[in-house]
Amino acid sequence: MILLVPTSAEVPKVHSRHIWPGLVLVILLCVPYLQSSGILDADTAFVDNLYSVASDGKSGLQAGAEAYLQLRPLLKIAPSPSDWDLKRVLYANFIHGSPVHLLLNLVGAFAGARICATFIPFLCTLSIFVLGGSFGIFMSLILSSKTAAYVPHVGASGGIFALMGTYYIYNFRFRTRYFFWFPSRQRMISLRTSWFFFLDVILLELVLSAAQFLPPRADNVDHLAHVFGFASGMLLAILLRTAQRWPGHLHTRSEFLYWSRFTLKGLYHPVFTPFQQWTELLEINPYNDRLKLRLYRVLFTHTHLLFDAQIALAFKFMSPTFIRLHTAECALFVKEVLARGKPLPNDWLASTPYDSIIRLAKLMTMPVEEQYLLVKLVVEYRKAQPGAAGVQRKLELLMGKLRDLMPKEEVPTPPKVNRDGMIDIGIEDNSPRQRTVRSRGGRVK
């Protein structure tokens, strides 16, 4: 059995530790439950009496069943398909039929409010919870079968799914941290949010909600409220992002606040001004891959304008995970830096694992006339790890893989060390290099 439990968006810990919104929402759900405990006890007694009357064949309940069901105590505060009003639809989000029902929804409400705090203020979270959950309950009332005309609809599940829909809108193109559990291994893992969108929400709930339209209900869970609550949460989140004018390449609320307050000092420069803004945003959230893509694509065409300190700052955000997911963009930038005769940052080379260098090397073997840049990368990678355990063995394996990847007639010789301990790569500084030409579509010819 494999278990994946989402814990938060992949953001710095300072952005994910928002506990108080979840606690406030938990309190808001507990207080109405305690206040309505007398009505819930009376409703439980009413339902037990209903079962006893229905089991008596001489009671004649069928003749006056509808009038009898209208007397159910819970209908005073909760809506049903044949007896509802707007006040009860709104209040139904805070009513639960049993302690177990309340406990399960408290867990979901706490988690939903906590992860949404990464993106939106608490009042927006609470509004989406109430409006999305109320819309889900309302649609469930409209679409419910006639056999459930006086069955109350209660619970915070619709609002919780609305918060889930909001989370997907704000985090769909980024990653989510999951608690990974396997009998032999447990750890935290970050995976793309979009991978689990359909499995976690759409497919599961559509299958279960389809059963709710059948006369013999599969269970007593209001799946229709889940589906419509989730859809309304997504719609409300889209409207909120539009009203905020939230750029698609920003992730957390802290980034958005910085972006909205960013003011230009002096003249605007098409390279240095975005470089300053984007690197400062990445200091706030170094997990924002979409912002990194923008940064490296601009720097690829303007590497000649950058100073060594700026190049070192740009490489600071080229993490192993980003290299794994966006190897092509990373390889192009590394090649351009090497071609310009600029050094790769020693700190980045020392902290980059061997597997990431292999990924870059695979995309640097072509074209043939630029293979000397790959040798430069290998040499600088070796220099950055002097005395490291097994570095010579790693380099031998790396060069062996390069021989397998490159055309046989163009295999470069491994770096040699002379008597003075210096590495001789056999390439002069003025080696010719055929420049790459960028087409309109962004490809390199």
Side-chain angles (χ1 to χ4, degrees), residues 223-265:
H223 297 288
L224 290 176
H226 295 179
V227 174
F228 285 102
F230 177 80
S232 61
M234 292 183 64
L235 178 60
L236 291 171
I238 292 174
L239 295 176
L240 180 60
R241 281 176 64 99
T242 304
Q244 292 175 320
R245 297 182 180 179
W246 187 297
H249 59 274
L250 298 186
H251 188 196
T252 65
R253 184 167 177 247
S254 298
E255 298 171 60
F256 174 75
L257 292 177
Y258 170 86
W259 176 84
S260 60
R261 297 170 184 171
F262 183 83
T263 57
L264 299 177
K265 298 179 181 179

mmCIF file of all heavy atoms in Angstrom, residues 223-265:
data_model
loop_
_atom_site.group_PDB
_atom_site.id
_atom_site.type_symbol
_atom_site.label_atom_id
_atom_site.label_comp_id
_atom_site.label_asym_id
_atom_site.label_seq_id
_atom_site.Cartn_x
_atom_site.Cartn_y
_atom_site.Cartn_z
ATOM 1 N N HIS A 223 -22.248 13.798 -2.378
ATOM 2 C CA HIS A 223 -21.188 13.964 -3.368
ATOM 3 C C HIS A 223 -21.471 15.118 -4.322
ATOM 4 O O HIS A 223 -20.542 15.752 -4.831
ATOM 5 C CB HIS A 223 -20.997 12.666 -4.158
ATOM 6 C CG HIS A 223 -20.561 11.514 -3.319
ATOM 7 N ND1 HIS A 223 -19.301 11.402 -2.784
ATOM 8 C CD2 HIS A 223 -21.240 10.412 -2.912
ATOM 9 C CE1 HIS A 223 -19.204 10.288 -2.092
ATOM 10 N NE2 HIS A 223 -20.368 9.664 -2.152
ATOM 11 N N LEU A 224 -22.747 15.385 -4.583
ATOM 12 C CA LEU A 224 -23.074 16.507 -5.455
ATOM 13 C C LEU A 224 -22.596 17.826 -4.849
ATOM 14 O O LEU A 224 -22.102 18.707 -5.557
ATOM 15 C CB LEU A 224 -24.578 16.555 -5.703
ATOM 16 C CG LEU A 224 -25.154 15.442 -6.581
ATOM 17 C CD1 LEU A 224 -26.663 15.566 -6.661
ATOM 18 C CD2 LEU A 224 -24.542 15.499 -7.970
ATOM 19 N N ALA A 225 -22.736 17.978 -3.545
ATOM 20 C CA ALA A 225 -22.241 19.183 -2.881
ATOM 21 C C ALA A 225 -20.731 19.278 -3.002
ATOM 22 O O ALA A 225 -20.166 20.375 -3.133
ATOM 23 C CB ALA A 225 -22.661 19.194 -1.413
ATOM 24 N N HIS A 226 -20.040 18.140 -2.985
ATOM 25 C CA HIS A 226 -18.586 18.128 -3.158
ATOM 26 C C HIS A 226 -18.209 18.646 -4.552
ATOM 27 O O HIS A 226 -17.341 19.513 -4.701
ATOM 28 C CB HIS A 226 -18.036 16.717 -2.975
ATOM 29 C CG HIS A 226 -18.218 16.183 -1.598
ATOM 30 N ND1 HIS A 226 -17.798 14.921 -1.240
ATOM 31 C CD2 HIS A 226 -18.758 16.729 -0.483
ATOM 32 C CE1 HIS A 226 -18.079 14.712 0.039
ATOM 33 N NE2 HIS A 226 -18.674 15.797 0.513
ATOM 34 N N VAL A 227 -18.851 18.111 -5.565
ATOM 35 C CA VAL A 227 -18.502 18.451 -6.944
ATOM 36 C C VAL A 227 -18.787 19.920 -7.237
ATOM 37 O O VAL A 227 -17.927 20.647 -7.754
ATOM 38 C CB VAL A 227 -19.253 17.540 -7.927
ATOM 39 C CG1 VAL A 227 -19.015 17.991 -9.360
ATOM 40 C CG2 VAL A 227 -18.823 16.090 -7.743
ATOM 41 N N PHE A 228 -19.997 20.367 -6.886
ATOM 42 C CA PHE A 228 -20.347 21.759 -7.173
ATOM 43 C C PHE A 228 -19.616 22.728 -6.246
ATOM 44 O O PHE A 228 -19.340 23.862 -6.634
ATOM 45 C CB PHE A 228 -21.862 21.949 -7.066
ATOM 46 C CG PHE A 228 -22.617 21.373 -8.221
ATOM 47 C CD1 PHE A 228 -23.278 20.163 -8.106
ATOM 48 C CD2 PHE A 228 -22.646 22.031 -9.446
ATOM 49 C CE1 PHE A 228 -23.972 19.616 -9.168
ATOM 50 C CE2 PHE A 228 -23.340 21.500 -10.522
ATOM 51 C CZ PHE A 228 -24.007 20.287 -10.383
ATOM 52 N N GLY A 229 -19.294 22.294 -5.045
ATOM 53 C CA GLY A 229 -18.472 23.130 -4.177
ATOM 54 C C GLY A 229 -17.083 23.316 -4.745
ATOM 55 O O GLY A 229 -16.522 24.418 -4.738
ATOM 56 N N PHE A 230 -16.509 22.239 -5.275
ATOM 57 C CA PHE A 230 -15.188 22.322 -5.886
ATOM 58 C C PHE A 230 -15.209 23.231 -7.115
ATOM 59 O O PHE A 230 -14.330 24.085 -7.289
ATOM 60 C CB PHE A 230 -14.719 20.922 -6.274
ATOM 61 C CG PHE A 230 -13.393 20.887 -6.979
ATOM 62 C CD1 PHE A 230 -12.215 20.974 -6.267
ATOM 63 C CD2 PHE A 230 -13.328 20.777 -8.356
ATOM 64 C CE1 PHE A 230 -11.000 20.944 -6.909
ATOM 65 C CE2 PHE A 230 -12.117 20.751 -9.015
ATOM 66 C CZ PHE A 230 -10.941 20.830 -8.282
ATOM 67 N N ALA A 231 -16.225 23.081 -7.958
ATOM 68 C CA ALA A 231 -16.328 23.906 -9.166
ATOM 69 C C ALA A 231 -16.519 25.380 -8.808
ATOM 70 O O ALA A 231 -15.911 26.264 -9.415
ATOM 71 C CB ALA A 231 -17.477 23.411 -10.039
ATOM 72 N N SER A 232 -17.354 25.663 -7.815
ATOM 73 C CA SER A 232 -17.570 27.054 -7.421
ATOM 74 C C SER A 232 -16.315 27.645 -6.786
ATOM 75 O O SER A 232 -16.026 28.834 -6.964
ATOM 76 C CB SER A 232 -18.747 27.141 -6.454
ATOM 77 O OG SER A 232 -18.484 26.393 -5.271
ATOM 78 N N GLY A 233 -15.556 26.835 -6.051
ATOM 79 C CA GLY A 233 -14.302 27.319 -5.489
ATOM 80 C C GLY A 233 -13.309 27.704 -6.565
ATOM 81 O O GLY A 233 -12.616 28.729 -6.456
ATOM 82 N N MET A 234 -13.234 26.907 -7.619
ATOM 83 C CA MET A 234 -12.353 27.245 -8.732
ATOM 84 C C MET A 234 -12.802 28.533 -9.411
ATOM 85 O O MET A 234 -11.969 29.401 -9.730
ATOM 86 C CB MET A 234 -12.336 26.093 -9.744
ATOM 87 C CG MET A 234 -11.689 24.827 -9.253
ATOM 88 S SD MET A 234 -11.614 23.544 -10.526
ATOM 89 C CE MET A 234 -10.539 24.297 -11.717
ATOM 90 N N LEU A 235 -14.105 28.676 -9.621
ATOM 91 C CA LEU A 235 -14.623 29.880 -10.275
ATOM 92 C C LEU A 235 -14.363 31.120 -9.430
ATOM 93 O O LEU A 235 -13.931 32.165 -9.946
ATOM 94 C CB LEU A 235 -16.109 29.717 -10.547
ATOM 95 C CG LEU A 235 -16.810 30.923 -11.195
ATOM 96 C CD1 LEU A 235 -16.184 31.237 -12.551
ATOM 97 C CD2 LEU A 235 -18.301 30.654 -11.338
ATOM 98 N N LEU A 236 -14.613 31.027 -8.131
ATOM 99 C CA LEU A 236 -14.372 32.164 -7.246
ATOM 100 C C LEU A 236 -12.886 32.524 -7.207
ATOM 101 O O LEU A 236 -12.528 33.707 -7.158
ATOM 102 C CB LEU A 236 -14.880 31.848 -5.839
ATOM 103 C CG LEU A 236 -16.402 31.751 -5.678
ATOM 104 C CD1 LEU A 236 -16.759 31.224 -4.291
ATOM 105 C CD2 LEU A 236 -17.055 33.109 -5.914
ATOM 106 N N ALA A 237 -12.022 31.518 -7.239
ATOM 107 C CA ALA A 237 -10.584 31.788 -7.232
ATOM 108 C C ALA A 237 -10.145 32.476 -8.525
ATOM 109 O O ALA A 237 -9.299 33.385 -8.502
ATOM 110 C CB ALA A 237 -9.804 30.481 -7.033
ATOM 111 N N ILE A 238 -10.720 32.058 -9.647
ATOM 112 C CA ILE A 238 -10.390 32.707 -10.920
ATOM 113 C C ILE A 238 -10.836 34.166 -10.912
ATOM 114 O O ILE A 238 -10.096 35.063 -11.348
ATOM 115 C CB ILE A 238 -11.045 31.935 -12.088
ATOM 116 C CG1 ILE A 238 -10.394 30.562 -12.243
ATOM 117 C CG2 ILE A 238 -10.931 32.722 -13.387
ATOM 118 C CD1 ILE A 238 -11.078 29.680 -13.264
ATOM 119 N N LEU A 239 -12.037 34.423 -10.400
ATOM 120 C CA LEU A 239 -12.519 35.796 -10.310
ATOM 121 C C LEU A 239 -11.649 36.630 -9.375
ATOM 122 O O LEU A 239 -11.359 37.804 -9.656
ATOM 123 C CB LEU A 239 -13.972 35.807 -9.828
ATOM 124 C CG LEU A 239 -15.001 35.176 -10.770
ATOM 125 C CD1 LEU A 239 -16.382 35.168 -10.120
ATOM 126 C CD2 LEU A 239 -15.042 35.917 -12.104
ATOM 127 N N LEU A 240 -11.207 36.032 -8.282
ATOM 128 C CA LEU A 240 -10.354 36.756 -7.334
ATOM 129 C C LEU A 240 -9.002 37.080 -7.954
ATOM 130 O O LEU A 240 -8.488 38.203 -7.808
ATOM 131 C CB LEU A 240 -10.184 35.922 -6.063
ATOM 132 C CG LEU A 240 -9.307 36.536 -4.966
ATOM 133 C CD1 LEU A 240 -9.887 37.871 -4.503
ATOM 134 C CD2 LEU A 240 -9.167 35.570 -3.789
ATOM 135 N N ARG A 241 -8.404 36.119 -8.645
ATOM 136 C CA ARG A 241 -7.116 36.368 -9.302
ATOM 137 C C ARG A 241 -7.247 37.450 -10.372
ATOM 138 O O ARG A 241 -6.348 38.283 -10.547
ATOM 139 C CB ARG A 241 -6.589 35.074 -9.941
ATOM 140 C CG ARG A 241 -5.951 34.121 -8.957
ATOM 141 C CD ARG A 241 -5.554 32.835 -9.652
ATOM 142 N NE ARG A 241 -4.541 33.048 -10.669
ATOM 143 C CZ ARG A 241 -3.245 32.823 -10.485
ATOM 144 N NH1 ARG A 241 -2.808 32.368 -9.325
ATOM 145 N NH2 ARG A 241 -2.388 33.017 -11.464
ATOM 146 N N THR A 242 -8.352 37.426 -11.099
ATOM 147 C CA THR A 242 -8.573 38.454 -12.122
ATOM 148 C C THR A 242 -8.710 39.833 -11.492
ATOM 149 O O THR A 242 -8.149 40.816 -11.987
ATOM 150 C CB THR A 242 -9.821 38.120 -12.943
ATOM 151 O OG1 THR A 242 -9.683 36.812 -13.516
ATOM 152 C CG2 THR A 242 -10.022 39.124 -14.058
ATOM 153 N N ALA A 243 -9.468 39.915 -10.401
ATOM 154 C CA ALA A 243 -9.627 41.201 -9.723
ATOM 155 C C ALA A 243 -8.308 41.688 -9.128
ATOM 156 O O ALA A 243 -8.033 42.889 -9.102
ATOM 157 C CB ALA A 243 -10.689 41.078 -8.630
ATOM 158 N N GLN A 244 -7.468 40.765 -8.667
ATOM 159 C CA GLN A 244 -6.174 41.136 -8.115
ATOM 160 C C GLN A 244 -5.148 41.472 -9.186
ATOM 161 O O GLN A 244 -4.114 42.053 -8.877
ATOM 162 C CB GLN A 244 -5.619 39.977 -7.264
ATOM 163 C CG GLN A 244 -6.381 39.696 -5.991
ATOM 164 C CD GLN A 244 -5.848 38.468 -5.280
ATOM 165 O OE1 GLN A 244 -5.498 37.457 -5.898
ATOM 166 N NE2 GLN A 244 -5.766 38.545 -3.974
ATOM 167 N N ARG A 245 -5.426 41.071 -10.435
ATOM 168 C CA ARG A 245 -4.444 41.169 -11.517
ATOM 169 C C ARG A 245 -3.173 40.406 -11.164
ATOM 170 O O ARG A 245 -2.063 40.903 -11.276
ATOM 171 C CB ARG A 245 -4.124 42.637 -11.819
ATOM 172 C CG ARG A 245 -5.325 43.433 -12.317
ATOM 173 C CD ARG A 245 -4.945 44.852 -12.652
ATOM 174 N NE ARG A 245 -6.108 45.613 -13.130
ATOM 175 C CZ ARG A 245 -6.063 46.902 -13.483
ATOM 176 N NH1 ARG A 245 -4.909 47.557 -13.412
ATOM 177 N NH2 ARG A 245 -7.147 47.490 -13.894
ATOM 178 N N TRP A 246 -3.373 39.185 -10.767
ATOM 179 C CA TRP A 246 -2.296 38.304 -10.314
ATOM 180 C C TRP A 246 -1.570 37.744 -11.536
ATOM 181 O O TRP A 246 -2.149 36.993 -12.314
ATOM 182 C CB TRP A 246 -2.885 37.173 -9.481
ATOM 183 C CG TRP A 246 -1.908 36.271 -8.815
ATOM 184 C CD1 TRP A 246 -1.003 35.464 -9.421
ATOM 185 C CD2 TRP A 246 -1.742 36.062 -7.407
ATOM 186 N NE1 TRP A 246 -0.284 34.759 -8.494
ATOM 187 C CE2 TRP A 246 -0.717 35.119 -7.250
ATOM 188 C CE3 TRP A 246 -2.365 36.590 -6.272
ATOM 189 C CZ2 TRP A 246 -0.298 34.673 -5.990
ATOM 190 C CZ3 TRP A 246 -1.958 36.151 -5.032
ATOM 191 C CH2 TRP A 246 -0.936 35.207 -4.893
ATOM 192 N N PRO A 247 -0.283 38.047 -11.737
ATOM 193 C CA PRO A 247 0.443 37.497 -12.887
ATOM 194 C C PRO A 247 0.601 35.983 -12.779
ATOM 195 O O PRO A 247 0.752 35.433 -11.680
ATOM 196 C CB PRO A 247 1.806 38.208 -12.809
ATOM 197 C CG PRO A 247 1.573 39.408 -11.952
ATOM 198 C CD PRO A 247 0.513 39.011 -10.970
ATOM 199 N N GLY A 248 0.569 35.312 -13.913
ATOM 200 C CA GLY A 248 0.639 33.860 -13.918
ATOM 201 C C GLY A 248 1.959 33.294 -13.455
ATOM 202 O O GLY A 248 2.029 32.124 -13.079
ATOM 203 N N HIS A 249 3.049 34.091 -13.468
ATOM 204 C CA HIS A 249 4.352 33.560 -13.073
ATOM 205 C C HIS A 249 4.635 33.751 -11.589
ATOM 206 O O HIS A 249 5.704 33.374 -11.123
ATOM 207 C CB HIS A 249 5.462 34.234 -13.892
ATOM 208 C CG HIS A 249 5.514 35.726 -13.735
ATOM 209 N ND1 HIS A 249 4.748 36.570 -14.491
ATOM 210 C CD2 HIS A 249 6.237 36.517 -12.911
ATOM 211 C CE1 HIS A 249 4.996 37.823 -14.153
ATOM 212 N NE2 HIS A 249 5.885 37.822 -13.188
ATOM 213 N N LEU A 250 3.695 34.338 -10.832
ATOM 214 C CA LEU A 250 3.870 34.480 -9.389
ATOM 215 C C LEU A 250 3.159 33.344 -8.676
ATOM 216 O O LEU A 250 2.159 32.808 -9.154
ATOM 217 C CB LEU A 250 3.322 35.826 -8.914
ATOM 218 C CG LEU A 250 3.999 37.080 -9.477
ATOM 219 C CD1 LEU A 250 3.455 38.324 -8.809
ATOM 220 C CD2 LEU A 250 5.519 37.009 -9.320
ATOM 221 N N HIS A 251 3.657 33.009 -7.495
ATOM 222 C CA HIS A 251 3.161 31.837 -6.789
ATOM 223 C C HIS A 251 2.503 32.202 -5.463
ATOM 224 O O HIS A 251 1.312 32.008 -5.279
ATOM 225 C CB HIS A 251 4.312 30.849 -6.554
ATOM 226 C CG HIS A 251 3.885 29.528 -6.010
ATOM 227 N ND1 HIS A 251 4.747 28.633 -5.428
ATOM 228 C CD2 HIS A 251 2.662 28.949 -5.955
ATOM 229 C CE1 HIS A 251 4.076 27.564 -5.040
ATOM 230 N NE2 HIS A 251 2.810 27.727 -5.344
ATOM 231 N N THR A 252 3.259 32.743 -4.516
ATOM 232 C CA THR A 252 2.760 32.994 -3.179
ATOM 233 C C THR A 252 2.244 34.422 -3.033
ATOM 234 O O THR A 252 2.518 35.299 -3.854
ATOM 235 C CB THR A 252 3.851 32.745 -2.137
ATOM 236 O OG1 THR A 252 4.911 33.696 -2.333
ATOM 237 C CG2 THR A 252 4.420 31.334 -2.276
ATOM 238 N N ARG A 253 1.515 34.642 -1.949
ATOM 239 C CA ARG A 253 0.982 35.984 -1.682
ATOM 240 C C ARG A 253 2.118 36.963 -1.394
ATOM 241 O O ARG A 253 2.017 38.154 -1.738
ATOM 242 C CB ARG A 253 0.020 35.921 -0.496
ATOM 243 C CG ARG A 253 -0.667 37.251 -0.207
ATOM 244 C CD ARG A 253 -1.824 37.065 0.749
ATOM 245 N NE ARG A 253 -2.426 38.357 1.085
ATOM 246 C CZ ARG A 253 -2.391 38.904 2.286
ATOM 247 N NH1 ARG A 253 -1.792 38.266 3.282
ATOM 248 N NH2 ARG A 253 -2.955 40.066 2.520
ATOM 249 N N SER A 254 3.198 36.513 -0.769
ATOM 250 C CA SER A 254 4.333 37.395 -0.496
ATOM 251 C C SER A 254 4.949 37.911 -1.786
ATOM 252 O O SER A 254 5.325 39.084 -1.881
ATOM 253 C CB SER A 254 5.381 36.648 0.339
ATOM 254 O OG SER A 254 4.855 36.256 1.582
ATOM 255 N N GLU A 255 5.049 37.038 -2.788
ATOM 256 C CA GLU A 255 5.555 37.478 -4.083
ATOM 257 C C GLU A 255 4.622 38.511 -4.713
ATOM 258 O O GLU A 255 5.077 39.510 -5.276
ATOM 259 C CB GLU A 255 5.701 36.281 -5.027
ATOM 260 C CG GLU A 255 6.692 35.222 -4.573
ATOM 261 C CD GLU A 255 6.602 33.989 -5.440
ATOM 262 O OE1 GLU A 255 6.826 34.085 -6.660
ATOM 263 O OE2 GLU A 255 6.273 32.913 -4.899
ATOM 264 N N PHE A 256 3.317 38.263 -4.611
ATOM 265 C CA PHE A 256 2.357 39.191 -5.209
ATOM 266 C C PHE A 256 2.416 40.558 -4.533
ATOM 267 O O PHE A 256 2.342 41.596 -5.202
ATOM 268 C CB PHE A 256 0.946 38.606 -5.112
ATOM 269 C CG PHE A 256 -0.134 39.543 -5.561
ATOM 270 C CD1 PHE A 256 -0.326 39.795 -6.910
ATOM 271 C CD2 PHE A 256 -0.948 40.180 -4.642
ATOM 272 C CE1 PHE A 256 -1.312 40.670 -7.337
ATOM 273 C CE2 PHE A 256 -1.942 41.052 -5.052
ATOM 274 C CZ PHE A 256 -2.121 41.294 -6.398
ATOM 275 N N LEU A 257 2.543 40.570 -3.203
ATOM 276 C CA LEU A 257 2.625 41.846 -2.485
ATOM 277 C C LEU A 257 3.891 42.606 -2.878
ATOM 278 O O LEU A 257 3.861 43.831 -3.054
ATOM 279 C CB LEU A 257 2.592 41.591 -0.975
ATOM 280 C CG LEU A 257 1.267 41.072 -0.405
ATOM 281 C CD1 LEU A 257 1.396 40.789 1.086
ATOM 282 C CD2 LEU A 257 0.131 42.040 -0.670
ATOM 283 N N TYR A 258 5.006 41.879 -3.021
ATOM 284 C CA TYR A 258 6.233 42.543 -3.452
ATOM 285 C C TYR A 258 6.073 43.085 -4.874
ATOM 286 O O TYR A 258 6.453 44.226 -5.162
ATOM 287 C CB TYR A 258 7.412 41.571 -3.402
ATOM 288 C CG TYR A 258 8.656 42.119 -4.070
ATOM 289 C CD1 TYR A 258 9.548 42.913 -3.377
ATOM 290 C CD2 TYR A 258 8.918 41.851 -5.413
ATOM 291 C CE1 TYR A 258 10.682 43.428 -3.991
ATOM 292 C CE2 TYR A 258 10.040 42.363 -6.042
ATOM 293 C CZ TYR A 258 10.918 43.143 -5.325
ATOM 294 O OH TYR A 258 12.023 43.665 -5.948
ATOM 295 N N TRP A 259 5.505 42.285 -5.751
ATOM 296 C CA TRP A 259 5.348 42.698 -7.151
ATOM 297 C C TRP A 259 4.444 43.921 -7.265
ATOM 298 O O TRP A 259 4.709 44.834 -8.049
ATOM 299 C CB TRP A 259 4.767 41.534 -7.951
ATOM 300 C CG TRP A 259 4.467 41.862 -9.377
ATOM 301 C CD1 TRP A 259 5.311 41.849 -10.445
ATOM 302 C CD2 TRP A 259 3.186 42.271 -9.900
ATOM 303 N NE1 TRP A 259 4.661 42.211 -11.587
ATOM 304 C CE2 TRP A 259 3.360 42.484 -11.292
ATOM 305 C CE3 TRP A 259 1.939 42.479 -9.334
ATOM 306 C CZ2 TRP A 259 2.308 42.888 -12.098
ATOM 307 C CZ3 TRP A 259 0.894 42.881 -10.145
ATOM 308 C CH2 TRP A 259 1.083 43.079 -11.518
ATOM 309 N N SER A 260 3.358 43.963 -6.487
ATOM 310 C CA SER A 260 2.424 45.084 -6.566
ATOM 311 C C SER A 260 3.013 46.368 -5.993
ATOM 312 O O SER A 260 2.566 47.462 -6.343
ATOM 313 C CB SER A 260 1.128 44.734 -5.833
ATOM 314 O OG SER A 260 1.380 44.454 -4.469
ATOM 315 N N ARG A 261 4.031 46.245 -5.128
ATOM 316 C CA ARG A 261 4.646 47.426 -4.520
ATOM 317 C C ARG A 261 5.980 47.787 -5.153
ATOM 318 O O ARG A 261 6.619 48.753 -4.740
ATOM 319 C CB ARG A 261 4.868 47.178 -3.027
ATOM 320 C CG ARG A 261 3.564 46.960 -2.244
ATOM 321 C CD ARG A 261 3.850 46.495 -0.836
ATOM 322 N NE ARG A 261 2.607 46.193 -0.110
ATOM 323 C CZ ARG A 261 2.586 45.610 1.087
ATOM 324 N NH1 ARG A 261 3.714 45.265 1.687
ATOM 325 N NH2 ARG A 261 1.419 45.364 1.677
ATOM 326 N N PHE A 262 6.404 47.018 -6.136
ATOM 327 C CA PHE A 262 7.707 47.266 -6.751
ATOM 328 C C PHE A 262 7.646 48.566 -7.547
ATOM 329 O O PHE A 262 6.768 48.762 -8.387
ATOM 330 C CB PHE A 262 8.085 46.107 -7.673
ATOM 331 C CG PHE A 262 9.446 46.263 -8.298
ATOM 332 C CD1 PHE A 262 10.583 45.906 -7.612
ATOM 333 C CD2 PHE A 262 9.577 46.768 -9.581
ATOM 334 C CE1 PHE A 262 11.837 46.036 -8.181
ATOM 335 C CE2 PHE A 262 10.820 46.914 -10.158
ATOM 336 C CZ PHE A 262 11.954 46.543 -9.455
ATOM 337 N N THR A 263 8.581 49.460 -7.269
ATOM 338 C CA THR A 263 8.662 50.741 -7.976
ATOM 339 C C THR A 263 10.012 50.866 -8.644
ATOM 340 O O THR A 263 11.039 50.447 -8.090
ATOM 341 C CB THR A 263 8.464 51.918 -7.008
ATOM 342 O OG1 THR A 263 9.442 51.833 -5.956
ATOM 343 C CG2 THR A 263 7.072 51.906 -6.408
ATOM 344 N N LEU A 264 10.013 51.409 -9.835
ATOM 345 C CA LEU A 264 11.254 51.584 -10.586
ATOM 346 C C LEU A 264 12.033 52.762 -10.035
ATOM 347 O O LEU A 264 11.467 53.813 -9.736
ATOM 348 C CB LEU A 264 10.942 51.797 -12.065
ATOM 349 C CG LEU A 264 10.221 50.651 -12.770
ATOM 350 C CD1 LEU A 264 9.930 51.045 -14.211
ATOM 351 C CD2 LEU A 264 11.054 49.389 -12.729
ATOM 352 N N LYS A 265 13.329 52.567 -9.895
ATOM 353 C CA LYS A 265 14.214 53.629 -9.453
ATOM 354 C C LYS A 265 15.126 53.994 -10.622
ATOM 355 O O LYS A 265 16.043 53.250 -10.964
ATOM 356 C CB LYS A 265 15.040 53.176 -8.243
ATOM 357 C CG LYS A 265 14.187 52.839 -7.021
ATOM 358 C CD LYS A 265 15.046 52.371 -5.859
ATOM 359 C CE LYS A 265 14.187 52.021 -4.649
ATOM 360 N NZ LYS A 265 15.011 51.550 -3.514
#
